Amino acid sequence: MVKWNGERLNIDGEDIQILSGSIHYFRTFPEQWEDRLIKLKNMGFNTVETYCCWNLHEPREGTFVFERMLDLGAFLDTAARLGLYAMVRPGPYICGEWDFGGLPAWLLKDENALLRSNDEYYFSRAEKYIEQIMKIIAPRMQTNGGNVILLAAENEYGSFSNSHKYMNRCARLLEKYGADIPIFTSDGHTPMMLCGGTAEGALPGLDFGYGNGILPEYTAALKNISADYPVFHIEHWIGGLTHWGKQPQKYSSESVGREISQQLEKGYHFNLYMFCGGTNFGFMNGANSFPYEKNGRTEYDYCPDVTSYELDGALTECGDLTPKYYAIKNAVERFTGKKLPESRNSEKQNIGRVTLTKSAALFENLGNIGEKFSDEFPRNMEHYGQNYGYILYRCRIEQGQEIARLSLKDVNDRATVYFNGEKIGIISRNDDIKHIELGKTAENGGTLDILAENQGRINYGPDMLRGDRKGICGYVYITDRVGVRQILSDWEIYTLPMNNLERLNYGTAQSYPTFFKGDFSAEKGKDCFVHLKNFTKGFVTVNGFNIGRYWNIGPQLSLYIPWPLLKENNEITVFEEENAAEPIIEITDKHILNGCNKYKNAEVVM
């Protein structure tokens, strides 16, 4: 039996203090789970916490996947075998800086869907997912002889809305499918967030941690709700987010060590976010939308997350021990008076330069890797049944139209525009100016191509209500020399999820965007990192697995290649959107997560 007893959690008559760390099973290869969990235990912690990702577990409506990196049951069983309790946050919404906060993009095919709400279209589908994932969690609950001691209802709802009807419904949904252990919620520590996000009968969890100590105001709102609630610090942030083009947020090891000591002494229950962050493989990174004032109006800055989810945690992206790990471990040893076991870093390998000998132009392979649609006007990618990747819009410009300007109305997130195969400009979501001056470019007519990239859906805050659709969400229009506007119609659309690259025809590409492919040898059991100094922007696959996006604006300048991906002989593919100085990459034993501007001022992270 699991129950709360004052400040302590009581399990079968024994009081414990939760010392937990977050590890997301879907951000790490299964072969690496045990290594990360042992390091958590060797740090003196007794619990692992994880989110669950609805979008990958149900990639298409009604099709559920729980294999390999998505084998939640195997992850929980590994933790149990090592003597660790588990806290599970099944969702349906999780945030996690994960694409769309874990919600599946196919929900957005319904233009009227209201997400994270009592809307029956949304909630009925969320219930089907919860029913399936609870089939894995329920048998592993402590009351059934397992190690799962706590379950979360939704997540950070107080940062979105304040419907107690919805939150109560989420809590009751878990109970409907077998939950007989304590249910908790998770919200920021302010009164507004706590009042909005709580659920009847659920323990309110708090999110805070800014590297400046555990301050009284962080728990004041909780005690105002009820003095009997224990402090359950479900997200103790020990590092900050990293967005493309912005330097990472960092909290010092010393400050985190002090915060751990404070919580141990106060008897707080807490969870490190993150203990080991892992990687946003593929196109799974999320994005934030930050409000700012401009000319008396509120505007929003769209900020997609980088591929790495290291978050300056206790372990690096590849699971290595950091000074922060030792600061936390030392605090636990001082508090308990016990010497804890040691852990080891993973082995690395330095492979060197690899020449990519084959190339395939995207525009010459649209029919091979893209599904073609025809439409009077362009629509968002979700309308065409696409969730991730890129989408190409193509139409014909007639001769003699005297077009002065081409404009895009509502494009998400970044569109590269081509005319007769030549790049003429880029229009991004954050740009103030969303048009291209054509001059004489189109006077003889020709083919207009717009390649739009989904850079990651917004995963947090009120923008979740109607969702973050991708591609062209409005329309494309031209303007003549006297200022008259006209919408362009009659389009060909190619959906490009980039999950079928084995169908590419390679030759000698003469234009961009281009796929480059090469081979390299590697030792088994050793991690490495691929550096793309000669490239600009795109993504990389190794042996058919998408290891994530790269972009030379930084701060991340290399991509992690986990050892379970590698064989003696390996194939690597680089999709380059814009330009490559030469088709050569470098695979080394060093990682760069805090560089910028084409490797200038880059600092190597071991």
Side-chain angles (χ1 to χ4, degrees):
M1 178 66 69
V2 184
K3 61 181 181 179
W4 292 101
N5 180 16
E7 291 294 321
R8 296 279 175 175
L9 178 69
N10 188 283
I11 300 178
D12 291 339
E14 181 181 355
D15 287 344
I16 71 162
Q17 182 180 6
I18 294 177
L19 311 183
S20 175
S22 291
I23 303 173
H24 299 156
Y25 58 94
F26 48 88
R27 280 179 159 129
T28 307
F29 275 73
E31 295 88 343
Q32 299 170 311
W33 289 342
E34 183 167 323
D35 171 77
R36 292 358 179 216
L37 290 166
I38 288 174
K39 287 170 179 171
L40 178 66
K41 187 173 182 179
N42 287 352
M43 199 173 70
F45 280 37
N46 54 23
T47 306
V48 63
E49 181 271 347
T50 189
Y51 281 135
C52 303
C53 49
W54 180 9
N55 62 339
L56 293 190
H57 284 306
E58 192 179 3
R60 295 178 301 280
E61 186 173 4
T63 300
F64 292 91
V65 181
F66 295 102
E67 300 170 348
R68 289 290 296 151
M69 292 178 74
L70 299 176
D71 194 341
L72 171 62
F75 177 78
L76 295 174
D77 292 345
T78 303
R81 178 168 50 81
L82 296 172
L84 290 167
Y85 292 118
M87 297 189 293
V88 182
R89 295 204 263 178
Y93 163 79
I94 61 171
C95 184
E97 292 67 55
W98 191 250
D99 184 84
F100 206 16
L103 301 182
W106 49 257
L107 288 169
L108 297 177
K109 195 162 186 177
D110 186 325
E111 297 288 339
N112 298 313
L114 296 175
L115 308 177
R116 302 181 69 187
S117 78
N118 287 297
D119 173 66
E120 282 307 309
Y121 168 81
Y122 168 75
F123 205 92
S124 63
R125 286 155 179 79
E127 177 167 357
K128 290 176 183 177
Y129 157 69
I130 292 295
E131 179 183 9
Q132 293 298 318
I133 204 156
M134 283 298 291
K135 290 179 181 179
I136 296 170
I137 297 171
R140 293 171 171 85
M141 294 187 303
Q142 191 275 341
T143 46
N144 292 323
N147 63 330
V148 180
I149 57 173
L150 293 164
L151 276 178
E154 238 260 4
N155 182 55
E156 295 174 336
Y157 185 75
S159 304
F160 170 76
S161 188
N162 60 2
S163 171
H164 291 292
K165 179 181 177 182
Y166 170 75
M167 281 303 296
N168 291 339
R169 197 174 176 188
C170 287
R172 304 295 81 79
L173 189 61
L174 295 175
E175 294 170 346
K176 177 179 178 179
Y177 292 106
D180 58 0
I181 54 177
I183 294 171
F184 68 92
T185 58
S186 177
D187 281 289
H189 65 276
T190 69
M192 183 182 77
M193 287 188 279
L194 271 177
C195 289
T198 53
E200 185 178 341
L203 175 72
L206 300 175
D207 299 353
F208 59 86
Y210 306 97
N212 58 0
I214 305 300
L215 306 178
E217 55 261 38
Y218 296 160
T219 59
L222 174 70
K223 294 304 181 182
N224 286 337
I225 295 175
S226 174
D228 295 331
Y229 281 133
V231 175
F232 181 32
H233 189 184
I234 186 61
E235 287 192 16
H236 177 194
W237 281 76
I238 61 173
L241 302 180
T242 306
H243 299 106
W244 288 113
K246 302 179 186 296
Q247 283 300 302
Q249 298 173 292
K250 290 182 176 291
Y251 307 145
S252 73
S253 300
E254 294 77 15
S255 66
V256 170
R258 285 194 300 270
E259 290 177 341
I260 297 300
S261 293
Q262 285 179 293
Q263 293 179 104
L264 289 169
E265 292 164 3
K266 291 176 180 289
Y268 292 171
H269 306 273
F270 61 91
N271 173 64
L272 302 183
Y273 199 94
M274 293 289 295
F275 171 71
C276 183
T279 310
N280 296 315
F281 291 118
F283 302 126
M284 287 299 106
N285 65 279
N288 287 103
S289 178
F290 296 115
Y292 66 95
E293 296 298 318
K294 182 178 180 180
N295 299 325
R297 297 179 57 185
T298 300
E299 302 287 346
Y300 294 89
D301 188 22
Y302 169 78
C303 298
D305 296 305
V306 300
T307 295
S308 173
Y309 199 60
E310 182 167 304
L311 290 188
D312 195 28
L315 298 187
T316 67
E317 183 177 2
C318 64
D320 285 354
L321 310 171
T322 69
K324 198 166 286 183
Y325 177 92
Y326 287 107
I328 297 166
K329 182 178 180 181
N330 291 339
V332 175
E333 287 182 330
R334 286 193 303 270
F335 180 74
T336 62
K338 297 179 181 178
K339 181 66 177 176
L340 295 167
E342 297 298 325
S343 299
R344 295 188 307 169
N345 291 336
S346 66
E347 292 188 81
K348 314 291 190 303
Q349 57 184 314
N350 190 352
I351 293 169
R353 288 160 60 92
V354 176
T355 300
L356 308 179
T357 57
K358 299 178 181 179
S359 59
L362 173 65
F363 289 167
E364 295 173 8
N365 281 275
L366 294 175
N368 297 328
I369 65 171
E371 184 177 358
K372 183 179 177 181
F373 297 84
S374 297
D375 216 333
E376 184 176 5
F377 302 107
R379 309 193 206 199
N380 59 73
M381 64 166 55
E382 295 84 1
H383 173 82
Y384 303 107
Q386 181 184 358
N387 296 336
Y388 310 106
Y390 298 72
I391 185 167
L392 183 89
Y393 302 91
R394 172 173 286 176
C395 77
R396 181 76 186 171
I397 300 293
E398 296 180 18
Q399 184 177 1
Q401 287 187 275
E402 295 190 355
I403 303 169
R405 176 181 292 177
L406 173 75
S407 303
L408 302 187
K409 171 69 173 174
D410 297 333
V411 62
N412 295 337
D413 299 304
R414 188 174 189 266
T416 306
V417 183
Y418 306 84
F419 194 75
N420 289 334
E422 296 293 324
K423 175 183 168 182
I424 60 173
I426 295 174
I427 296 176
S428 293
R429 179 172 183 157
N430 288 338
D431 291 346
D432 291 330
I433 297 175
K434 291 185 170 60
H435 64 256
I436 296 171
E437 301 292 346
L438 292 180
K440 295 184 178 181
T441 300
E443 63 182 8
N444 294 321
T447 301
L448 172 70
D449 287 314
I450 301 173
L451 180 66
E453 179 195 6
N454 169 359
Q455 292 186 289
R457 290 183 182 83
I458 292 171
N459 55 254
Y460 178 82
D463 293 315
M464 299 290 300
L465 179 62
R466 295 188 178 275
D468 186 18
R469 291 171 177 81
K470 299 302 183 180
I472 295 176
C473 300
Y475 49 87
V476 183
Y477 63 96
I478 51 178
T479 307
D480 68 10
R481 303 185 192 286
V482 296
V484 177
R485 297 187 299 162
Q486 182 183 85
I487 296 175
L488 291 175
S489 61
D490 299 329
W491 293 79
E492 294 178 356
I493 296 96
Y494 291 88
T495 55
L496 300 165
M498 302 298 191
N499 57 6
N500 54 359
L501 303 188
E502 70 280 356
R503 295 166 57 183
L504 289 167
N505 286 332
Y506 282 91
T508 304
Q510 301 295 319
S511 62
Y512 290 93
T514 291
F515 298 88
F516 295 94
K517 185 168 73 171
D519 302 299
F520 67 95
S521 299
E523 296 181 61
K524 295 181 180 179
K526 294 185 178 182
D527 289 327
C528 52
F529 309 91
V530 57
H531 296 252
L532 299 116
K533 295 181 181 180
N534 295 317
F535 293 80
T536 305
K537 188 179 188 304
F539 66 89
V540 177
T541 69
V542 174
N543 296 328
F545 182 87
N546 189 334
I547 63 171
R549 311 175 198 258
Y550 68 89
W551 196 355
N552 67 3
I553 65 173
Q556 178 173 359
L557 295 176
S558 57
L559 294 174
Y560 173 44
I561 306 179
W563 66 261
L565 260 183
L566 296 172
K567 304 176 292 185
E568 183 177 347
N569 298 305
N570 304 275
E571 180 180 276
I572 188 165
T573 302
V574 178
F575 175 66
E576 172 55 51
E577 295 180 32
E578 297 185 18
N579 185 59
E582 55 181 339
I584 296 175
I585 59 173
E586 191 171 1
I587 302 176
T588 79
D589 57 355
K590 303 294 190 299
H591 204 6
I592 299 177
L593 293 177
N594 54 356
C596 61
N597 190 20
K598 300 182 181 180
Y599 277 73
K600 293 180 182 178
N601 305 317
E603 179 183 336
V604 173
V605 178
M606 302 296 288

